[in-house]
Amino acid sequence: MVRPSWVEIDLGAIAHNVRLLAGIAAPARLCAVVKADAYGHGDVPVAEAALEAGAPMLAVALVEEAIRLREAGIDAPVLLLSEPPEQSAEEVVKWDLIPTVYTAGFVRALSEATQRPLRIHLKVDTGMHRVGATIADAKDLVATIVADKLLDLEGVWTHFAVAEEDGVFTRHQLETFNGFVETLRRVGVEVPVRHAANTAATLLYPEARLDLVRVGIGIYGQRPAPGMVPDLDLRPAMRVVSHVSMVRRHPAGTRPSYGRRKALPGDATVATVPVGYADGLPRALGAHGGDVLIRGRRHPLAGTVTMDQVMVDVGDDPVEVGDEVVLLGSQGIEEVTADQWAEHLDTISYEVVCQIGPRLPRRYVP
Ligand SMILES: *Cc1c(COP(=O)(O)O)cnc(C)c1O
């Protein structure tokens, strides 16, 4: 017998979201961002579902993440979103990855590591100020790359800092980027793939879609910000599921769990569920209004989330050991959303899904 707790990933929802977003982005193509184990959803199955649904390209943050995809037999183009350490240049060539570059040192390392033509994408910083070359440095880098017979400048790109909330700054970044592309054109450098948009910009700024969009959160069925594009039929792909392991009746005023922080408001049945903060159910959720679903109804957490288990106040509702508990996702017509967790926890849906931990096995449903 195994622990009755897992994460269910709906690959049909992933495929649906990819098709939906690719349709919105067209004629720009969609690059499916599967970094961080596909935002906690499982990188290989999600990548396969996204490619199957028509995404022509994948992106990850790390060389290690890209190698995982290659070792699983995925041969689609894989873009690295950041420069790895220079010592990784040989791995980049060996595994046929598409590196992002923004320093002269890494461009040189790639040039030395490759014996065949290597596609590269140059990233410019237009206001995010995380990574990327300044516009001035980028012009020098382009000259170096263009002069190198084996380096093929396939793409130039930038990344938005506030696409979900500030149109003025986002348009300013886009204009800076377009200006840079125009400067290259004037000196005879035509770069075939220009890209800038994440999910939010893909949805909100048609002019930012350019040749390619880099979509992450949307393919998982989450909105970049709560309430954005409310009519869009995105389908959340992740459900965190467990089953009641114990049931006990307690009088009003009982204070279950560590710290005895919360008194039961009335006589109540308390159900124990074997999922805890070691699985990515944040400890703070107990204190800040987290709910779960049992038999299609919402019930509040009864006290602090512990490492491996949590208690639920089900009031006078009938509940039995073995009943399905949904901590995140839908059950019947009720749904606990990542945005609801995010609101309780003062974070964003991205962090909620990414932190659902590896101790919970992933089960994939087609
Ligand atoms: C993670 C990431 C994305 C995807 O962003 P979403 O908001 O999840 O769509 C796109 N571009 C870069 C550079 C990223 O790091």
Side-chain angles (χ1 to χ4, degrees):
M1 191 52 204
V2 294
R3 181 175 176 224
S5 306
W6 58 80
V7 183
E8 192 179 283
I9 304 297
D10 182 347
L11 295 175
I14 301 271
H16 164 86
N17 298 328
V18 166
R19 284 192 292 263
L20 182 70
L21 293 160
I24 289 170
R29 295 181 312 148
L30 183 145
C31 171
V33 180
V34 296
K35 64 190 177 190
D37 200 22
Y39 294 38
H41 293 65
D43 51 10
V44 170
V46 167
E48 286 169 344
L51 294 168
E52 179 93 16
M57 187 174 183
L58 304 168
V60 293
L62 311 177
V63 173
E64 293 88 326
E65 294 173 336
I67 293 175
R68 281 171 52 82
L69 300 174
R70 287 283 183 260
E71 285 182 336
I74 293 172
D75 58 10
V78 178
L79 174 69
L80 297 175
L81 293 168
S82 290
E83 270 189 8
E86 283 176 26
Q87 309 87 276
S88 302
E90 280 173 18
E91 296 282 292
V92 168
V93 172
K94 174 181 164 200
W95 293 98
D96 191 20
L97 310 179
I98 303 175
T100 285
V101 302
Y102 37 78
T103 66
F106 192 58
V107 170
R108 197 178 320 114
L110 288 170
S111 175
E112 284 165 9
T114 193
Q115 263 102 54
R116 55 170 176 80
L118 183 72
R119 297 181 277 179
I120 66 179
H121 287 215
L122 169 68
K123 179 176 186 196
V124 290
D125 178 13
T126 57
M128 171 73 180
H129 305 321
R130 181 171 61 178
V131 293
T134 63
I135 298 286
D137 289 349
K139 289 174 189 164
D140 294 341
L141 282 176
V142 168
T144 308
I145 295 165
V146 169
D148 192 309
K149 280 194 197 63
L150 291 181
L151 298 182
D152 167 18
L153 186 59
E154 179 189 70
V156 282
W157 65 278
T158 194
H159 189 48
F160 296 125
V162 279
E164 67 289 347
E165 56 191 0
D166 183 344
V168 173
F169 193 77
T170 301
R171 289 200 185 86
H172 166 73
Q173 283 196 265
L174 184 60
E175 276 161 28
T176 307
F177 180 70
N178 287 340
F180 170 67
V181 171
E182 192 46 44
T183 328
L184 296 188
R185 195 168 284 153
R186 277 203 295 271
V187 296
V189 178
E190 284 282 347
V191 184
V193 188
R194 303 156 302 151
H195 51 110
N198 54 5
T199 303
T202 300
L203 295 175
L204 300 180
Y205 305 102
E207 69 274 27
R209 293 172 193 152
L210 304 175
D211 302 305
L212 183 78
V213 296
R214 303 183 307 269
V215 177
I217 199 75
I219 69 176
Y220 306 104
Q222 306 292 339
R223 289 178 158 66
M228 181 189 288
V229 199
D231 293 337
L232 190 70
D233 177 28
L234 286 175
R235 301 187 188 158
M238 179 185 280
R239 277 173 96 226
V240 179
V241 180
S242 187
H243 294 81
V244 173
S245 63
M246 204 175 112
V247 175
R248 180 135 319 154
R249 191 77 189 163
H250 293 295
T254 303
R255 294 172 166 271
S257 197
Y258 288 131
R260 306 187 66 238
R261 303 227 184 277
K262 207 156 95 181
L264 295 176
D267 294 357
T269 302
V270 171
T272 302
V273 181
V275 177
Y277 60 76
D279 301 303
L281 184 71
R283 187 169 176 278
L285 208 53
H288 294 106
D291 291 327
V292 306
L293 307 177
I294 306 176
R295 298 193 182 193
R297 298 192 57 175
R298 293 184 92 90
H299 297 288
L301 297 180
T304 308
V305 174
T306 74
M307 191 182 293
D308 315 301
Q309 304 177 78
V310 67
M311 280 71 92
V312 181
D313 176 357
V314 299
D316 293 325
D317 283 0
V319 167
E320 285 170 27
V321 168
D323 281 352
E324 184 192 72
V325 182
V326 170
L327 297 111
L328 186 65
S330 59
Q331 187 188 53
I333 55 165
E334 275 289 352
E335 185 177 10
V336 175
T337 66
D339 279 335
Q340 288 165 0
W341 278 36
E343 197 186 323
H344 297 317
L345 299 165
D346 191 23
T347 182
I348 54 177
S349 60
Y350 295 70
E351 191 183 26
V352 168
V353 292
C354 281
Q355 74 186 8
I356 299 300
R359 194 170 73 169
L360 290 174
R362 268 56 176 171
R363 291 192 178 184
Y364 295 93
V365 298

